Amino acid sequence: MPEQSQGSLEIDQTLRLARDAIERDIARYRIGVFAAVVLVTAGLRLAGLSDAWAPTFIFGAGLVYALILRAFLVRYGNPRALPIVALIIDLGISVATFNFMHRYGSPAQVLNEAIFVTNILAPAMLLMLFINALRNSATSALFGGVIALCLYVATVPRIVGFHPAQISAASLILFAGLIGVASARQARKNLDSFARLQLLRRYLPPEAVERVMRDNPDAALSLGGRLVTVTLLAADLRGFTAMSENLPPTEVMAQLNAYHGAMIDVIERHGGAIDKFIGDGTLVVFGLDGPAEAAASSAVAC
C-alpha cells in the first residue's frame, strides 16, 4: 500500500478534528430533536389526540441516551466506531415506537399508529440522514442510507400493508444516503485542492498560481506536477547597498516602494509573473503559458 503524502495526512487530521466538533454538534441536535418529540407526543396524549403514552416513554428513553452520549463525547472524545453505533441507535429509535405499538397496542392504538407511521417515519428517516451528512463521512452516509432503507421497508409495509407510494419514499431515503456520500467526497476533494494550492503558493507567486489553476487545474493539482520551459529574469538596483547606507530607513523604504511599483507595472505589461522581491532584487518568471520562444522575447523586452 503506498505511503500517504504529508498533505494527505494533514487532510485526514483536519477531517478528524472537524468530525470531533461536528459529532458534539450532532449530539446537541439529537437532544433537541428527542426533547421536541417527547413534548409533542406528551402534548398529543394530554390533548386527547393520541391514546398511548408509549411514544413519550420511548423517546424519553432516547432523550436520556442522547444526554449520556453528549456527556461521553465531552469527557472522552469521539471514538472511531461511535458515529456508526449512534447512527444505528438514532434510526432504531425512529421505528421502535411504531413496532412496539403494532405488537402490544390495542386495536384502536394500532390503527392510530398506522396513520402516524405513514406520515412520519419517512420524514424522520430523512432528517436523521441529513444530520448524518454533517459528519462528512462517505462510509457513514452510505451505511446510514442502507440501514434507514432496511428499517423503513421492514416496518411500514408490515404495519399498513404495501402501497406503491412506499417505493417513492424508500427511494428518497436511499437517495439521501447517496447525497451524503457525494457531499463527503466533495468535502475531501475541496480540502485536497486547498492543500495543494497552499503547496503551490510556497513555490510560485500568486499570479503564477492563478494562471496554472485557470489554464490546467488538473495538472496543477496532480502529484507529479507538469514540466514547463520558462525564462527567468533577475534584476536589482545598481549601487543600492551603498546608497541605502547613507539614507534614513524611511527614505530607503520609499525608494523600494517606488521601485517595486514601477517594476510591477512593467512586468505585468509584458506577461511576467513576479516570483519574489528581496530588497532591491526581483525574480520574474516568463513562460508559464505560451511558447518558450515568446517567453524569452517578453523577458528581454521587459
Side-chain angles (χ1 to χ4, degrees), residues 23-24 26-27 30-31 62-75 77-79 82-83 85-87 89-90 135:
E23 199 63 39
R24 290 192 293 270
I26 291 176
R30 182 184 295 110
I31 292 171
L63 178 59
V64 173
Y65 140 75
L67 291 169
I68 293 174
L69 186 56
R70 165 70 177 165
F72 179 89
L73 285 167
V74 171
R75 181 167 186 141
N78 181 26
L82 182 63
V85 174
L87 179 60
I89 297 174
D90 292 343
R135 292 185 169 103

Side-chain angles (χ1 to χ4, degrees), residues 195-204 209 212-213 220-221:
R196 295 188 185 183
L197 279 173
Q198 291 295 96
L199 181 62
L200 283 175
R201 290 191 178 105
R202 296 180 186 177
Y203 302 102
L204 295 176
V209 173
V212 172
M213 288 300 300
L221 296 178

Side-chain angles (χ1 to χ4, degrees), residues 19-82:
R19 285 172 187 155
D20 290 346
I22 289 171
E23 199 63 39
R24 290 192 293 270
D25 290 338
I26 291 176
R28 289 196 295 269
Y29 302 152
R30 182 184 295 110
I31 292 171
V33 169
F34 286 157
V37 174
V38 168
L39 292 175
V40 169
T41 55
L44 291 174
R45 179 67 181 89
L46 294 173
L49 300 176
S50 172
D51 54 0
W53 283 105
T56 302
F57 293 145
I58 291 174
F59 281 99
L63 178 59
V64 173
Y65 140 75
L67 291 169
I68 293 174
L69 186 56
R70 165 70 177 165
F72 179 89
L73 285 167
V74 171
R75 181 167 186 141
Y76 299 106
N78 181 26
R80 183 180 295 273
L82 182 63

Side-chain angles (χ1 to χ4, degrees), residues 52 54 58 96-107 109-110:
I58 291 174
T97 181
F98 301 112
N99 287 303
F100 181 88
M101 294 304 300
H102 182 71
R103 184 176 181 86
Y104 299 107
S106 65
Q109 290 173 339
V110 171

